[in-house]
């Protein structure tokens, strides 16, 4: 009557053993962590005897997955940045202007003279032409500049929209192009942030796209959010722009299509530059710290072929005139072009220190962020606070655990002990699951585990109470136990599914620590149902088979 | 000898005074709403934007000196409170400083944090800033919206699930109990002015889950007894069901509360608000599954004949494993 098939027994024990094995590394946290780091280092090519010794600290045949500690437990910095994707529209339009200008200039007979209108909305070029009759021709000409959009959704459309408003030619980016641009901007930003953080070499940073234009960055072990911002926040936007003139008047009007940019190391000196750059940092393929012929720190750089060609053409045509090397809206230097620079490499000199030139080379190599980042949220958690939280959480969990164990034993005697075995397994299984999927344990997550300790016994309580009831009416203990499990099942399932629904909603809607809570709560429900329905039942059945008691007390 | 919270067989009449119980709950809800209306919630920076700085120093916290140092900076709304916790060592003096979001700022302003930290370092050189959190107003608005949606979604999902598994009267009874628990929890947070942040929303949802757990267990028994005792009065069946499950209700609440109280006392001040919400929720949730959900069910009445296929009120999933 009261029996469990052999295959079920094997399956239940196997699940328990696998769960325990997966959870085990967490009991030796620092040892396994060192092992994992060493293994990673060896894979990355640092196959030193020291690393091999460290890796040997944990047997390789055992699982080595660990529960990640969240920022609130380990300490570190968290940033939520919004990428100003519109910045790219502007840059795009700026670089389009010279092409449009040259094109329309060649057709002067039909469209007359052209003037770029200032104060156009972002991502729009407005060009006034003196011969409105030539508008159709102008539109036709500019349309030849349009390229098909390369993206899945925008297939078949072109990147530019050209229309005429009276005597003003209006060029905007098409919707499809904007979307494709946005996507590219986000991908680029993510990639660049990742590269910059990797240059610093911290453990397991999280860099994720969130929503449409946001990036979540979490770096454990870093001193502060401000430090993290410094690593990723510098845009290092490098451009080479033609110089129109030099001035000391900061309020001088630069004129349409030009801009006023201060010099980096000379107070009160400003340059008026053409807005459209000749080449930008995007065309850089390499940058290395170096020294110029006078032995001062400098940065060597080289361009990709298309950048090299444009740079070569420009220098060939403008020998004798100055051009400016602009970094983040400041002119680093404005040398006069001495000769045609072919081959696409050059050197940036300025009043650098060695550190500055090294830093600049790193930033240039990592590439410029395509758009500005605005930080919407920043959190710094000190490692001491994290450690305090872990310690407090450990003590609280132990006390909660012992209290519940004692309480169950007092309430249900031997059956209580069975439930307690299940409860201990339950916690181990939660850690096993968390380690398996590499989940992150947060402070609310610890609370979730403690809550699970309290609630996990519920399924067993339901069954035991039911057995008590059945004992009063049923024929014998075996029947009572069987009925107890049978009849309590629907309540257990319904009660846990409803709680599980809320855990899922928490996971989907929540973020960070709250998500950590949802994960432990959800796993706690799964493991507690498993241990209550299968493990305690199996324990009771095994006990029952051996003892064959005539009466039982629950 | 076994420890028993509830005698083996009980025969309490839970419905002798339905008006009284509903009345008590109604008054409590009114008090909660009144408190919420008058005092409002003490929103954390997650919901209103701004910066919190947690400081730690060996010297005792001089809230007045901190306030003076920061007032000079004209940062607007600044709240300073000392934090006490049994876990703290003698050299551990902790304060929380909250600086409101700066007017007209969409994003986080690093300068505010920097000058505030500098000012504090001047009056207390050994001060450490163990955590600094800033949330821009743009995000905090979204967080409030997401949180409200999450709670509404959870309640809605539960309504549908119970409706599918039981009958609409059960679903409505359970949801009224849930709303009751959520309102009372919000009420106590506004009355005691405990900081209300994102974690509390998580606690609210957990309360929803817990209260439901409790209600569903009672309802499951009601469903069973309705089939078993076809001729009994609904009131009697409800009473019997609650009495039968009373021992389990108390056992589970007791183990959960044991665990939560351990966490409340020993778990540190960082999550105390969160744990407090859950502790309160377990108490309220236990009460409401008996005195709100069941009383509602009694009021609404319920289809009695479970043997025939359902006609108008129920649906085919109603007694899937009964």
């Amino acid at each position: 009557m009261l029996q469990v098939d052999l295959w079920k027994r094997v399956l239940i024990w196997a699940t328990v053993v696998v769960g325990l094995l997966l959870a085990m590394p967490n009991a030796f946290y620092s040892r396994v962590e060192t092992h994992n780091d060493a293994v990673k280092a060896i894979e990355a090519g640092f196959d030193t005897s020291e690393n091999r010794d460290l890796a040997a600290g944990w047997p390789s045949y055992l699982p080595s997955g660990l529960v990640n500690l969240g920022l609130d437990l380990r300490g570190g910095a968290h940033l939520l940045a919004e990428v100003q994707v519109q910045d790219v529209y502007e840059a795009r339009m700026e670089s389009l202007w010279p092409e449009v200008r040259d094109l329309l200039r060649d057709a002067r007979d039909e469209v007359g003279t052209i003037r770029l209108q200032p104060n156009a909305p972002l991502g729009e070029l407005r060009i006034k032409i003196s011969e409105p009759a030539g508008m159709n021709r102008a539109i036709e000409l500019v349309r030849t500049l349009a390229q098909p959009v390369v993206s899945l959704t925008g297939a078949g459309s072109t990147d530019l929209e050209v229309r005429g408003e009276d005597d003003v030619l209006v060029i905007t980016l098409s919707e499809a192009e904007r979307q494709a641009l946005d996507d590219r901007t986000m991908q680029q930003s993510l990639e660049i942030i990742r590269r910059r953080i990797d240059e610093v070499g911290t453990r397991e940073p999280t860099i994720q796209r969130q929503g449409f234009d946001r990036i979540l960055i979490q770096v454990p072990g870093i001193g502060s959010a401000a430090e993290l911002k410094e690593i990723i926040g510098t845009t290092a936007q490098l451009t080479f722009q033609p110089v129109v003139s030099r001035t000391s008047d900061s309020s001088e009007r630069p004129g349409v299509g030009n801009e006023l940019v201060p010099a980096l190391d000379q107070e009160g000196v400003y340059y008026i530059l053409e807005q459209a750059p000749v080449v930008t940092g995007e065309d850089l393929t390499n940058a290395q710290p170096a020294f110029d012929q006078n032995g001062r720190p400098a940065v060597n750089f080289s361009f990709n072929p298309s950048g090299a060609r444009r740079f070569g053409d420009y220098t060939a045509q403008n020998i004798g005139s100055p051009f400016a090397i602009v970094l983040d809206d400041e002119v680093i230097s404005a040398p006069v072009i001495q000769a045609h620079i072919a081959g696409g490499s050059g050197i940036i000199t300025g009043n650098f220190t060695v550190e500055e030139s090294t830093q600049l080379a790193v930033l240039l190599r990592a590439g410029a962020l395509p758009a500005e980042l605005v930080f919407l949220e920043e959190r710094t958690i000190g490692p001491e606070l994290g450690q305090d939280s872990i310690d407090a959480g450990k003590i609280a969990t132990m006390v909660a655990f012992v209290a519940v164990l004692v309480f169950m034993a007092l309430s249900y005697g031997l059956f209580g002990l069975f439930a307690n075995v299940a409860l201990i397994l339950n916690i181990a299984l939660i850690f096993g699951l968390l380690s398996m999927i590499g989940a992150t344990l947060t402070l609310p997550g610890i609370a979730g585990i403690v809550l699970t300790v309290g609630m996990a016994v519920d399924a067993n309580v339901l069954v035991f109470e039911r057995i008590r009831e059945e004992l009063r009416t049923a024929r014998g203990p075996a029947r009572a136990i069987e009925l107890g499990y049978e009849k309590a099942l629907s309540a257990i399932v319904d009660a846990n599914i409803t709680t599980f629904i809320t855990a899922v909603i928490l996971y989907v809607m929540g973020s960070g620590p709250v998500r950590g809570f949802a994960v432990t709560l959800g796993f706690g429900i799964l493991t507690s149902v498993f241990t209550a329905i299968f493990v305690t039942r199996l324990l009771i059945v095994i006990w029952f088979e051996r003892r064959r008691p005539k009466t039982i007390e629950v | 000898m076994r420890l028993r919270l509830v005698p083996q067989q009980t025969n309490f009449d839970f419905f002798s005074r339905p008006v009284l119980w509903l009345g008590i709950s109604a008054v409590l809800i009114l008090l909660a709403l009144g408190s919420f209306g008058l005092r409002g919630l003490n929103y954390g920076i997650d919901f209103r934007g701004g910066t919190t700085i947690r400081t730690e120093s060996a010297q005792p916290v001089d809230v007045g000196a901190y306030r003076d140092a920061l007032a000079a900076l004209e940062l607007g709304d600044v709240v300073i409170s000392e934090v006490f916790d049994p876990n703290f060592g003698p050299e551990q003096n902790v304060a929380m400083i909250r600086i409101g979001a700066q007017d007209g700022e969409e994003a986080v302003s690093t300068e505010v944090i920097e000058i505030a930290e500098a000012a504090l370092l001047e009056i207390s050189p050994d001060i450490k800033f163990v955590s600094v959190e800033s949330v821009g107003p743009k995000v905090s608005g979204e967080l409030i919206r997401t949180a409200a949606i999450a709670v509404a979604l959870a309640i809605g999902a539960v309504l549908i699930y119970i409706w599918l598994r039981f009958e609409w009267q059960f679903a409505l009874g359970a949801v009224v109990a849930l709303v009751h628990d959520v309102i009372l929890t919000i009420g106590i947070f506004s009355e005691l002015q405990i900081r209300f942040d994102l974690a509390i929303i998580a606690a609210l949802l957990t309360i929803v889950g817990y209260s439901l757990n409790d209600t569903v267990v009672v309802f499951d028994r009601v469903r069973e007894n309705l089939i078993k005792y076809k001729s009994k009065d609904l009131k009697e069946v409800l009473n019997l069901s609650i009495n039968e499950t009373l021992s389990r209700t108390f056992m589970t609440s007791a183990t959960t509360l044991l665990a939560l109280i351990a966490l409340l006392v020993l778990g540190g001040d960082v999550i105390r608000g969160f744990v407090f919400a859950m502790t309160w929720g377990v108490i309220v949730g236990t009460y409401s599954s008996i005195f709100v959900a069941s009383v509602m069910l009694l009021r609404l009445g319920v289809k009695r004949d479970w043997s025939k296929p359902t006609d108008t009120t129920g649906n085919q999933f109603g007694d899937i494993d009964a």
Side-chain angles (χ1 to χ4, degrees):
Chain A
M1 203 160 32
L2 193 61
Q3 55 180 306
V4 178
D5 296 337
L6 182 68
W7 68 270
K8 274 192 190 164
R9 294 183 188 213
V10 173
L11 206 61
I12 292 168
W13 288 130
T15 312
V16 170
V17 169
V18 169
L20 287 177
L21 275 178
L22 286 173
M24 196 171 57
N26 294 294
F28 308 93
Y29 202 94
S30 55
R31 221 166 104 188
V32 180
E33 198 170 39
T34 336
H35 160 85
N36 288 353
D37 288 349
V39 169
K40 226 181 257 168
I42 291 173
E43 273 171 15
F46 299 100
D47 196 356
T48 60
S49 62
E50 191 189 351
N51 275 335
R52 255 173 282 150
D53 285 349
L54 289 174
W58 181 253
S60 56
Y61 53 85
L62 287 175
S64 58
L66 286 172
V67 173
N68 292 322
L69 295 181
L71 278 191
D72 54 351
L73 296 178
R74 186 191 289 246
H78 158 121
L79 288 176
L80 181 66
E82 193 173 67
V83 182
Q84 305 297 300
V85 286
Q86 324 78 282
D87 285 4
V88 179
Y89 305 157
E90 208 185 343
R92 178 67 196 278
M93 281 324 206
E94 264 171 26
S95 64
L96 188 66
W97 164 236
E99 287 183 65
V100 174
R101 184 188 55 198
D102 296 348
L103 196 67
L104 293 180
R105 221 178 246 165
D106 293 345
R108 191 175 301 163
D109 303 345
E110 288 153 285
V111 299
T113 56
I114 53 168
R115 259 218 340 265
L116 184 65
Q117 300 294 100
N119 307 327
L122 212 64
E124 207 173 285
L125 275 185
R126 300 180 76 92
I127 301 155
K128 196 168 183 164
I129 58 177
S130 64
E131 298 287 338
M135 182 57 83
N136 284 339
R137 174 71 184 140
I139 293 177
E140 212 174 287
L141 277 173
V142 176
R143 280 206 179 129
T144 59
L145 292 175
Q147 307 271 331
V149 175
V150 190
S151 81
L152 286 176
T153 47
S157 46
T158 52
D159 58 352
L160 296 179
E161 273 171 11
V162 192
R163 62 177 198 275
E165 284 177 8
D166 299 330
D167 58 347
V168 177
L169 182 71
V170 182
I171 308 170
T172 53
L173 293 171
S174 69
E175 195 48 43
E177 174 66 5
R178 279 172 193 247
Q179 270 175 20
L181 261 188
D182 289 351
D183 228 48
R184 230 175 302 149
T185 311
M186 289 304 293
Q187 295 303 340
Q188 249 176 332
S189 304
L190 275 169
E191 188 48 41
I192 288 165
I193 291 173
R194 189 165 295 137
R195 259 188 274 163
R196 289 193 183 170
I197 290 175
D198 283 349
E199 294 252 6
V200 190
T202 61
R203 183 203 304 277
E204 289 158 25
T206 310
I207 300 152
Q208 269 171 1
R209 181 169 178 180
Q210 249 188 9
F212 165 65
D213 57 357
R214 293 189 183 164
I215 297 177
L216 173 78
I217 306 148
Q218 289 188 326
V219 182
I222 199 166
S224 75
E227 205 174 299
L228 180 56
K229 273 203 224 168
E230 249 162 54
I231 296 169
I232 58 172
T234 328
T235 45
Q237 190 81 255
L238 183 76
T239 53
F240 294 81
Q241 285 165 276
V243 175
V244 178
S245 64
R246 207 180 118 134
T247 173
S248 57
D249 178 10
S250 66
S251 57
E252 188 169 322
R253 293 169 59 95
V256 175
N258 296 337
E259 60 184 349
L260 191 73
V261 178
L264 178 69
D265 45 11
Q266 289 161 281
E267 189 88 11
V269 173
Y270 297 86
Y271 291 89
I272 291 176
L273 309 176
E274 279 183 36
Q275 249 171 14
V278 178
V279 223
T280 68
E282 276 178 43
D283 294 308
L284 281 181
T285 51
N286 198 10
Q288 292 293 342
F291 294 94
D292 65 4
Q293 62 266 52
N294 300 324
R296 291 179 309 176
V299 178
N300 265 332
F301 61 87
S302 45
F303 288 120
N304 61 19
S306 96
R309 200 185 54 238
R310 264 180 290 149
F311 193 62
D313 290 352
Y314 181 80
T315 50
Q317 286 161 18
N318 292 280
I319 293 174
S321 46
F323 79 103
I325 301 173
V326 183
L327 183 71
D328 290 335
D329 287 330
E330 282 177 320
V331 175
I332 301 182
S333 65
V336 171
I337 301 167
Q338 308 289 355
H340 170 217
I341 305 176
S345 62
I347 188 164
I348 304 173
T349 55
N351 283 328
F352 297 130
T353 63
V354 175
E355 285 82 47
E356 278 167 350
S357 69
T358 311
Q359 173 81 353
L360 179 60
V362 166
L363 286 174
L364 290 178
R365 238 189 354 256
L369 285 167
E372 198 196 340
L373 296 180
V374 170
F375 294 98
L376 302 177
E377 203 182 301
E378 60 173 81
R379 297 172 199 263
T380 308
I381 289 108
E384 313 94 340
L385 183 61
Q387 193 55 48
D388 287 353
S389 296
I390 292 180
D391 295 344
K394 260 187 197 159
I395 296 172
T397 312
M398 294 311 287
V399 170
F401 207 59
V402 170
V404 171
L405 291 180
V406 170
F407 189 75
M408 285 299 283
L410 287 178
S411 298
Y412 297 111
L414 183 65
F415 278 63
L417 292 182
F418 291 146
N420 287 343
V421 173
L423 184 59
I424 294 168
L425 286 177
N426 193 6
I427 299 296
L429 288 181
I430 292 180
F431 273 97
L433 277 175
L434 289 175
S435 311
M436 193 173 74
I437 66 160
T440 302
L441 186 66
T442 59
L443 188 52
I446 293 181
I449 291 177
V450 175
L451 186 70
T452 307
V453 170
M455 285 176 72
V457 293
D458 181 52
N460 280 314
V461 168
L462 274 167
V463 172
F464 294 165
E465 292 292 333
R466 196 72 204 215
I467 295 177
R468 277 183 183 174
E469 280 176 51
E470 297 302 329
L471 275 177
R472 279 178 235 143
T473 51
R475 277 167 229 119
R479 183 81 187 127
I481 293 172
E482 199 173 81
L483 279 175
Y485 271 99
E486 215 169 81
K487 291 195 173 170
L489 191 67
S490 82
I492 293 175
V493 169
D494 277 342
N496 283 293
I497 285 182
T498 44
T499 316
F500 196 73
I501 290 175
T502 56
V504 170
I505 289 175
L506 258 182
Y507 182 80
V508 175
M509 307 292 292
S511 62
V514 173
R515 211 169 236 209
F517 172 72
V519 170
T520 51
L521 185 69
F523 282 167
I525 291 166
L526 292 180
T527 55
S528 72
V529 170
F530 169 76
T531 50
I533 295 183
F534 297 108
V535 179
T536 36
R537 183 181 201 165
L538 187 55
L539 290 174
I540 292 172
V541 168
I542 292 173
W543 166 77
F544 200 85
E545 280 169 352
R546 296 205 172 172
R547 292 291 168 83
R548 296 263 161 221
K550 289 276 175 300
T551 56
I552 54 171
E553 195 192 356
V554 177
Chain B
M1 194 49 222
R2 296 281 193 266
L3 172 78
R4 279 187 200 275
L5 299 174
V6 174
Q8 192 157 29
Q9 212 135 27
T10 55
N11 212 355
F12 299 116
D13 186 1
F14 291 100
F15 299 104
S16 57
R17 297 206 157 110
V19 182
L20 177 71
W21 300 125
L22 283 184
I24 290 179
S25 286
V27 168
L28 285 176
I29 285 178
L30 282 181
L31 283 176
L33 289 177
S35 169
F36 177 67
L38 289 175
R39 303 174 66 113
L41 286 169
N42 174 16
Y43 288 113
I45 55 160
D46 290 342
F47 292 137
R48 69 159 114 185
T51 302
T52 54
I53 302 176
R54 185 184 169 98
T55 66
E56 201 178 302
S57 65
Q59 287 128 38
V61 174
D62 184 348
V63 175
Y66 282 21
R67 187 168 296 132
D68 292 344
L70 293 175
L73 304 173
E74 292 182 352
L75 296 173
D77 173 30
V78 175
V79 181
I80 299 161
S81 48
E82 192 172 357
V83 180
F84 300 96
D85 192 88
N87 290 326
F88 291 162
E91 297 278 276
Q92 235 177 337
N93 297 291
V94 178
M96 288 292 275
I97 296 159
R98 198 185 67 209
I99 304 168
Q102 304 300 302
D103 285 339
E105 292 264 344
E106 269 304 290
V108 168
S109 53
T110 317
E111 301 82 52
V112 170
I113 301 172
E114 275 168 8
I115 58 171
E117 286 186 352
L120 290 170
L121 268 172
E122 224 157 80
I123 53 165
S124 175
D126 75 322
I127 204 163
K128 277 186 293 181
F129 305 104
V130 286
S131 82
V132 181
E133 306 190 39
S134 278
V135 179
K138 190 169 181 180
V139 178
S140 60
E142 290 167 22
L143 288 176
I144 293 191
R145 219 171 312 133
T146 322
I149 293 173
V151 175
L153 261 186
I155 292 179
V158 157
L159 185 77
I160 292 170
Y161 182 79
I162 301 189
W163 184 21
L164 289 179
R165 291 282 287 162
F166 296 86
E167 293 281 310
W168 68 267
Q169 293 94 332
F170 288 84
L172 197 60
V175 164
V176 169
L178 288 187
V179 174
H180 167 267
D181 301 341
V182 170
I183 291 179
L184 288 193
T185 309
I186 291 178
I188 200 152
F189 269 76
S190 78
E191 192 51 40
L192 299 180
Q193 290 290 299
I194 305 171
R195 192 160 61 129
F196 194 88
D197 52 24
L198 258 192
I200 308 299
I201 297 292
L204 275 183
L205 283 176
T206 318
I207 293 168
V208 166
Y210 183 87
S211 162
L212 209 61
N213 193 315
D214 233 31
T215 308
V216 165
V217 169
V218 175
F219 280 1
D220 186 78
R221 188 57 71 96
V222 171
R223 180 170 60 185
E224 189 184 323
N225 284 337
L226 279 173
I227 299 164
K228 207 155 142 195
Y229 309 104
K230 291 207 170 58
S231 55
K232 261 194 188 163
D233 191 29
L234 177 62
K235 192 166 135 185
E236 271 177 75
V237 173
L238 282 174
N239 241 330
L240 178 71
S241 308
I242 297 174
N243 274 303
E244 278 176 353
T245 50
L246 199 62
S247 172
R248 173 267 161 194
T249 304
F250 273 80
M251 275 301 296
T252 300
S253 293
T255 53
T256 310
L257 281 176
L258 266 181
L260 284 176
I261 288 169
L263 198 58
L264 192 63
V265 177
L266 301 167
D269 69 287
V270 181
I271 49 165
R272 184 148 299 139
F274 178 67
V275 179
F276 172 78
M278 290 206 284
T279 313
W280 169 257
V282 168
I283 297 168
V284 178
T286 307
Y287 167 85
S288 74
S289 55
I290 296 173
F291 292 105
V292 179
S294 303
V295 174
M296 277 301 292
L297 193 57
L298 182 62
R299 290 258 135 166
L300 291 168
V302 70
K303 182 180 67 116
R304 294 308 306 271
D305 191 357
W306 290 73
S307 56
K308 278 188 211 149
T310 48
D311 40 274
T312 48
T313 51
N315 61 64
Q316 65 272 38
F317 304 113
D319 48 1
I320 206 156
D321 65 352

